Amino acid sequence: EKGRQYAGCGGGWQAGVGICRGAARSPVQLNSPPPPDVSRGASPELRYLSDSVAHLRFRHFGRATAAVDSAFSRIAADGVTTLVIDLRGVPGGDLSEMAVAAHLLSEPVPAGTFVGRRWWSTHRSPPKADDTALPVLASDDYDVGAFFHALRTHGAFTGRVEPRAPVFGGRVFVLVNRATSSAAEALAHLLASTGRATIIGERTAGAMLSPAEIPLGDGWTLLLPTADFYTPEGRRLEGRGVEPHVASPSARALEVALRMVDGGAEGGKLD
């Protein structure tokens, strides 16, 4: 639940606030349209479009590593050669989305840098991607506690994706749309920038600020942005999003991907 209203702040920051109440965690929007109705289930849905083509649909990333591992084990066992990863409508979640990248990359790669308030209190520019003084949080030891501990202690940290067996080496297509947000955008950008996937659909939301949950009492929760994200190339995705390789209306993105499969398009493929 990320607020749709943003206000300019010092140091180049933008801040959005979302408020949730009760177990249902329905967001209260202030002076903005209601968010799309998106399922919050974390488990991916795996189905087969043919004997060799699998469609892996995500709704949300929330402690999804075990489910991702299970899906890729099935994909490997079933001899899939082309994988369509569907991130349309995914509102984000936690960094367990990097487990997907870990099953698609054969070498360790930097995943980007998260920068919090403590960093900006002593620096006037974001950290460099190759700053060896920054702590590194690897994809195989990520948890929410480690995320916020690194921000509080160091003000910034770099993420790194470590390959995770089984590594899928076939073609990969990733479907995105304007509702693809936050953690899902970081994943789409990483797979695009490494050449591992062909991105199909619409430009993503550009909503990359990471919020902390602050209980307010009486069932209310404040989601307060506490960290910005910079890609390994030093680029912000906030307000910009990820551009697809192949533009398509959201509703037709899967159809376009399947036409590319039938036409022999390479997509992202490990050498």
Side-chain angles (χ1 to χ4, degrees):
E1 285 70 356
K2 187 165 292 187
R4 298 282 181 123
Q5 294 289 51
Y6 296 90
C9 302
W13 277 74
Q14 289 184 313
V17 175
I19 300 177
C20 307
R21 187 179 189 185
R25 301 181 58 75
S26 298
V28 176
Q29 298 290 332
L30 304 177
N31 301 319
S32 63
D37 182 14
V38 179
S39 169
R40 305 291 290 181
S43 296
E45 303 161 12
L46 178 62
R47 64 188 180 112
Y48 293 90
L49 306 178
S50 72
D51 290 342
S52 61
V53 180
H55 176 247
L56 187 60
R57 177 68 183 266
F58 289 90
R59 304 289 183 176
H60 181 249
F61 289 104
R63 302 184 184 276
T65 300
V68 169
D69 288 347
S70 177
F72 274 93
S73 293
R74 287 181 57 193
I75 288 168
D78 293 338
V80 170
T81 60
T82 299
L83 177 61
V84 179
I85 298 174
D86 199 336
L87 301 180
R88 291 175 296 176
V90 177
D94 60 30
L95 287 186
S96 62
E97 104 280 1
M98 285 302 162
V100 177
H103 284 287
L104 297 174
L105 297 167
S106 58
E107 300 290 339
V109 297
T113 302
F114 287 88
V115 185
R117 179 178 179 182
R118 180 166 181 169
W119 175 269
W120 294 113
S121 68
T122 56
H123 298 78
R124 304 188 69 175
S125 60
K128 302 294 185 183
D130 58 355
D131 189 342
T132 57
L134 289 180
V136 176
L137 199 60
S139 57
D140 55 3
D141 63 7
Y142 167 78
D143 62 50
V144 174
F147 179 96
F148 286 107
H149 175 75
L151 283 179
R152 288 193 301 267
T153 305
H154 303 281
F157 71 87
T158 296
R160 185 180 68 227
V161 174
E162 299 282 351
R164 195 177 184 92
V167 173
F168 177 74
R171 296 179 296 176
V172 180
F173 299 89
V174 175
L175 311 184
V176 298
N177 65 8
R178 289 175 291 177
T180 302
S181 307
S182 194
E185 296 183 86
L187 174 60
H189 173 82
L190 182 64
L191 296 179
S193 64
T194 56
R196 189 60 190 92
T198 298
I199 313 299
I200 301 173
E202 302 167 340
R203 182 171 67 88
T204 64
M208 277 298 304
L209 299 183
S210 301
E213 296 188 4
I214 303 174
L216 301 179
D218 193 28
W220 290 87
T221 300
L222 173 69
L223 302 185
L224 183 65
T226 58
D228 201 355
F229 175 78
Y230 289 81
T231 69
E233 303 81 28
R235 177 174 174 263
R236 291 183 79 216
L237 296 182
E238 178 68 25
R240 299 174 181 174
V242 177
E243 292 286 351
H245 295 116
V246 180
S248 165
S250 176
R252 295 187 57 202
L254 180 57
E255 174 190 342
V256 171
L258 293 179
R259 284 209 309 267
M260 294 180 70
V261 171
D262 292 339
E266 283 298 308
K269 187 175 182 181
L270 285 180
D271 295 332

